[in-house]
Amino acid sequence: MDELDQKILDIVQKNNQLTHADIGERVALSESSVRRRLKTLRATGVIARDVSILKSTGEGVRMIVTLSFERESPEVYEEFDRQIASYPEVLQAYHVSGSVDYILIVQGPCVEWYEDWSRMALMSNPNIQRYNTHVVWSCKKFETAIPLKP
């Protein structure tokens, strides 16, 4: 990946609805060069997905959940990874270092729903030793673009 690819990626991370011509104008490349580079970046997995990010409507509740396992093993982690992958309400899941093992971002309609969901998804898992839930009051910064070298 060269400097031009990085410039293109910086642009499409902020707005992937720009035309190839618009991007080319910003990075001094032809439309066809931009098209080829984007095709390669997608084919090689550098660009994992093209998505639209929805504005939060303020409805529902978002939780940040930290959890720790009682027993740790590759099998326990793999089983948990499969479990959380099946829950659409888990928006993000991170296996982390430190005093907790995972951080989950969970979105649901209300706190009462979350109480039921956590019983089903977390309390019923015998490998989870403890989990803590933080209610998100408001989002102060949300960025999906990964900073790239200029």
Side-chain angles (χ1 to χ4, degrees), residues 87-98:
Y87 299 137
E89 52 275 1
V90 176
L91 304 180
Q92 299 170 44
Y94 302 95
H95 183 199
V96 298
S97 64

Side-chain angles (χ1 to χ4, degrees), residues 19 31 49 69 113 144:
T19 66
E31 181 177 346
R49 292 184 292 172
F69 288 104
W113 166 88
T144 61

Side-chain angles (χ1 to χ4, degrees), residues 8-25:
I8 292 169
L9 288 170
D10 190 49
I11 291 167
V12 298
Q13 282 190 99
K14 293 175 178 78
N15 182 354
N16 72 355
Q17 295 296 302
L18 294 173
T19 66
H20 296 137
D22 290 337
I23 296 167
E25 189 175 301

Side-chain angles (χ1 to χ4, degrees), residues 62-81:
R62 183 163 292 176
M63 311 288 186
I64 299 172
V65 182
T66 60
L67 60 93
S68 302
F69 288 104
E70 187 171 330
R71 297 181 309 272
E72 298 179 68
S73 72
E75 296 78 23
V76 166
Y77 289 142
E78 289 168 11
E79 179 185 334
F80 186 70
D81 290 345

Side-chain angles (χ1 to χ4, degrees), residues 81-109:
D81 290 345
R82 281 190 300 276
Q83 177 188 359
I84 58 173
S86 70
Y87 299 137
E89 52 275 1
V90 176
L91 304 180
Q92 299 170 44
Y94 302 95
H95 183 199
V96 298
S97 64
S99 60
V100 299
D101 296 312
Y102 276 77
I103 298 173
L104 308 178
I105 309 298
V106 180
Q107 178 78 31

Side-chain angles (χ1 to χ4, degrees), residues 20-21 29-37:
H20 296 137
L29 281 175
S30 70
E31 181 177 346
S32 60
S33 291
V34 170
R35 182 181 299 108
R36 278 193 304 276
R37 285 173 177 265

Side-chain angles (χ1 to χ4, degrees), residues 113-125:
W113 166 88
Y114 177 74
E115 183 178 11
D116 293 337
W117 182 86
S118 65
R119 279 191 189 117
M120 179 271 304
L122 304 176
M123 286 183 196
S124 66
N125 186 326

Side-chain angles (χ1 to χ4, degrees), residues 128-142:
I128 295 176
Q129 178 183 27
R130 177 162 181 74
Y131 70 93
N132 292 301
T133 303
H134 307 271
V135 176
V136 175
W137 297 128
S138 63
C139 179
K140 302 303 181 187
K141 181 178 180 181
F142 178 82

